[in-house]
């Protein structure tokens, strides 16, 4: 179900409508904008594959201008177990940047998730996404955890060779071993 829940003005004084949808896939304009935002992030090495990032059961809040054009959106989920609204992706279409649409979207998200029982909101952001980090900070969002990352690609062959030596099996056999109730990962017997 979609519904309009707020009529406001952006930083330039232009009218903006905030809409809510229970399923992100309900609105073709939002889906198209999401794909553009995802491509933007992927092209810059700051995003994840769009097929695992957003699912159709995510909720969405989006902004439209007076002509019904999507200006930006925040795709989110509500986690009742920790009373948190979680931003899966928040974005503003290029032509609407600088008009504080991001701020309007986050305010709409805060209002909606508080209504659902939230006491906080959270998200992840790529360390190189300066615009996202600045916008988040402007809206009172600061790093809580740092996600550490290591690319194993340069060492893969060395790691595989070491595992073959340690476990006494060829890689083809090792890579096909599965967990079972009596063995650990790699097929080794649990102590």
């Amino acid at each position: 179900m979609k519904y309009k829940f707020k009529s406001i003005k952006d930083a330039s004084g232009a009218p903006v409508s905030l809409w809510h949808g229970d399923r992100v896939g309900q609105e073709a304009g939002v889906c198209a904008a999401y794909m553009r935002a995802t491509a933007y992030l992927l092209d810059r090495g700051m995003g994840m594959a769009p097929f695992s990032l957003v699912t159709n059961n995510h909720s969405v809040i989006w902004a439209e201008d007076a002509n019904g054009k999507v200006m930006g959106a925040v795709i989110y989920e509500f986690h009742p177990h920790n009373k948190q609204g979680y931003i899966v992706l928040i974005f503003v279409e290029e032509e609407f940047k600088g008009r504080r649409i991001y701020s309007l979207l986050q305010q709409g998200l805060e209002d909606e998730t508080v209504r659902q029982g939230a006491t906080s909101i959270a998200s992840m952001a790529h360390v190189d996404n300066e615009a996202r980090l600045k916008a988040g900070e402007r809206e009172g969002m600061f790093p809580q955890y740092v996600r550490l990352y290591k690319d194993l690609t340069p060492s893969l062959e060395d790691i595989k060779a070491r595992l073959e030596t340690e476990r006494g099996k060829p890689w083809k056999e090792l890579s096909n071993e599965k967990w079972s109730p009596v063995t650990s990962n790699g097929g080794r017997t649990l102590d």
Side-chain angles (χ1 to χ4, degrees), residues 105-152:
L105 290 167
Q106 183 164 319
Q107 180 186 22
L109 173 72
E110 291 173 10
D111 292 352
E112 180 58 23
T113 56
V114 164
R115 188 191 65 73
Q116 294 177 42
T119 58
S120 65
I121 60 171
S123 71
M124 287 180 48
H126 194 280
V127 68
D128 293 333
N129 192 343
E130 291 180 30
R132 170 70 175 93
L133 295 170
K134 283 180 186 177
E137 185 174 332
R138 184 182 67 237
E139 299 305 318
M141 294 186 77
F142 300 96
Q144 182 180 23
Y145 300 100
V146 175
R147 178 179 177 252
L148 302 176
Y149 172 82
K150 180 180 180 181
D151 182 2
L152 298 176

Side-chain angles (χ1 to χ4, degrees), residues 155-168:
S155 311
L156 280 181
E157 295 309 314
D158 292 338
I159 294 170
K160 290 176 184 179
R162 180 177 49 78
L163 289 172
E164 286 177 327
T165 301
E166 287 176 1
R167 301 203 182 148

Side-chain angles (χ1 to χ4, degrees), residues 7-190:
S7 294
I8 47 183
K9 295 190 184 289
D10 67 15
S12 73
V16 175
S17 299
L18 285 186
W19 292 81
H20 184 276
D22 295 330
R23 302 280 183 260
V24 71
Q26 290 174 315
E27 290 298 310
V30 172
C31 291
Y34 156 68
M35 294 304 274
R36 284 189 294 276
T38 301
Y40 175 89
L41 292 172
L42 288 170
D43 287 345
R44 287 156 183 77
M46 297 185 291
M48 299 185 322
F51 314 109
S52 60
L53 181 62
V54 171
T55 61
N56 194 41
N57 63 349
H58 284 123
S59 297
V60 62
I61 295 170
W62 72 95
E64 289 183 1
D65 69 4
N67 299 314
K69 186 167 185 180
V70 174
M71 303 170 83
V74 56
I75 299 168
Y76 76 97
E77 53 192 19
F78 176 67
H79 299 162
H81 63 280
N82 65 352
K83 298 180 180 181
Q84 187 171 76
Y86 183 79
I87 299 170
V88 177
L89 183 66
I90 186 168
F91 60 88
V92 175
E93 291 278 70
E94 192 64 38
E95 68 184 280
F96 298 108
K97 289 186 177 180
R99 292 169 57 178
R100 293 292 191 248
I101 302 304
Y102 182 106
S103 299
L104 299 177
L105 290 167
Q106 183 164 319
Q107 180 186 22
L109 173 72
E110 291 173 10
D111 292 352
E112 180 58 23
T113 56
V114 164
R115 188 191 65 73
Q116 294 177 42
T119 58
S120 65
I121 60 171
S123 71
M124 287 180 48
H126 194 280
V127 68
D128 293 333
N129 192 343
E130 291 180 30
R132 170 70 175 93
L133 295 170
K134 283 180 186 177
E137 185 174 332
R138 184 182 67 237
E139 299 305 318
M141 294 186 77
F142 300 96
Q144 182 180 23
Y145 300 100
V146 175
R147 178 179 177 252
L148 302 176
Y149 172 82
K150 180 180 180 181
D151 182 2
L152 298 176
T153 307
S155 311
L156 280 181
E157 295 309 314
D158 292 338
I159 294 170
K160 290 176 184 179
R162 180 177 49 78
L163 289 172
E164 286 177 327
T165 301
E166 287 176 1
R167 301 203 182 148
K169 296 179 183 178
W171 181 250
K172 186 173 182 175
E173 188 177 329
L174 282 173
S175 65
N176 287 313
E177 289 183 345
K178 305 288 183 217
W179 286 75
S180 73
V182 294
T183 62
S184 67
N185 187 20
R188 296 171 299 191
T189 305
L190 293 172

